[in-house]
Amino acid sequence: PAHYRTFKQFLTKVWDERFDAYLPTTLAGKSTRLGDLSSAFDGAILAGYNILYYSSCESGTVSNWVGVMAACESDEDLSCGGVPWQYTPFVGKDQGQCSTSGTRWGTFGADAGRTFWRLAMDYVLHTEDSEHVDIYWRSGWVNGNITFNARLFLNRVVTQYRRYAECDGSVVGGCDCHYPGCVENATQAIKLAAAFAVDRWPRTPGLTCDNVPHHGQAWWAGFMAY
């Protein structure tokens, strides 16, 4: 989301009406303007946060791959109305699944781990804007009972670390090692990664939920979380 907000801010600052000629027309053949492009960025941000809400757990784990679908009645239509996250994390009402790049659907791992950084960028670069996110019901109406934004998501991650990491990364030296050759104040990733470890027994609590139904793969989840 931070990238879309930054693109929008940049274009708003430098746009010239001559640039309108580079924009595509609507499906109906109507010319588009900067306002239409800005709305597209806003729509991508809104959709991203809603898809994230329906594909993540209270611990901050996110599914590597999730489904979004708003199928049209005819294959001839390029676009149509719908709620893309209506069945997320599944693909459509038949609960289809999808995956690629060697990571699995419905698990937290190498692909999903980058979510932390993307939300952190949105919070750091666009703190105020990232606070105001509308979450919609799966039926497409705004759900006024839900608060979800970059700060809340990142706090979920922090809480998971505080509860289940094997050291306190917020304290200088809190994750040091104590054997010969250790570097002072060099955080030991393996101690922090315990908060999202999937290759231990008993498993770290909170890593799965209805939105992320399966445990991650080997060491990837813990490593990428760190």
Side-chain angles (χ1 to χ4, degrees), residues 23-195:
L23 296 177
T25 62
T26 66
L27 294 178
K30 180 182 177 181
S31 298
T32 54
R33 301 287 186 269
L34 173 61
D36 300 299
L37 183 56
S38 296
S39 295
F41 285 134
D42 290 337
I45 295 167
L46 177 68
Y49 269 104
N50 275 270
I51 293 168
L52 175 63
Y53 177 78
Y54 287 109
S55 60
S56 59
C57 297
E58 290 289 333
S59 64
T61 54
V62 186
S63 183
N64 285 311
W65 299 96
V66 300
V68 289
M69 176 180 286
C72 299
E73 293 183 3
S74 171
D75 291 338
E76 299 299 318
D77 294 330
L78 293 178
S79 67
C80 54
V83 184
W85 51 86
Q86 182 177 1
Y87 301 104
T88 300
F90 295 98
V91 184
K93 62 182 179 180
D94 294 329
Q95 296 193 331
Q97 302 177 10
C98 59
S99 66
T100 187
S101 74
T103 56
R104 297 199 297 262
W105 173 92
T107 68
F108 175 64
D111 287 300
R114 68 194 75 177
T115 306
F116 296 1
W117 301 106
R118 291 176 175 172
L119 270 291
M121 285 184 63
D122 199 29
Y123 180 72
V124 170
L125 298 177
H126 307 281
T127 305
E128 184 175 350
D129 289 338
S130 68
E131 283 282 310
H132 306 291
V133 178
D134 286 330
I135 297 300
Y136 286 70
W137 294 100
R138 292 184 183 275
S139 57
W141 300 96
V142 175
N143 187 340
N145 299 321
I146 292 177
T147 299
F148 185 74
N149 51 43
R151 178 170 55 87
L152 189 148
F153 176 82
L154 294 171
N155 280 336
R156 289 180 173 183
V157 177
V158 171
T159 299
Q160 183 74 3
Y161 276 125
R162 292 190 63 179
R163 287 177 176 172
Y164 301 112
E166 295 177 348
C167 62
D168 188 348
S170 67
V171 176
V172 176
C175 290
D176 279 3
C177 56
H178 303 286
Y179 47 81
C182 287
V183 178
E184 185 178 1
N185 296 333
T187 298
Q188 301 300 300
I190 192 170
K191 294 184 178 181
L192 283 177

Side-chain angles (χ1 to χ4, degrees), residues 8-25:
K8 178 182 175 181
Q9 288 181 350
F10 172 75
L11 291 175
T12 300
K13 182 178 180 180
V14 305
W15 194 263
D16 187 287
E17 289 185 357
R18 294 173 299 172
F19 302 156
D20 290 349
Y22 294 99
L23 296 177
T25 62

Side-chain angles (χ1 to χ4, degrees), residues 182-220:
C182 287
V183 178
E184 185 178 1
N185 296 333
T187 298
Q188 301 300 300
I190 192 170
K191 294 184 178 181
L192 283 177
F196 290 89
V198 296
D199 52 356
R200 56 167 54 198
W201 191 263
R203 298 187 188 276
T204 303
L207 301 185
T208 60
C209 61
D210 289 344
N211 295 337
V212 187
H214 303 302
H215 281 288
Q217 298 154 268
W219 59 277
W220 274 106

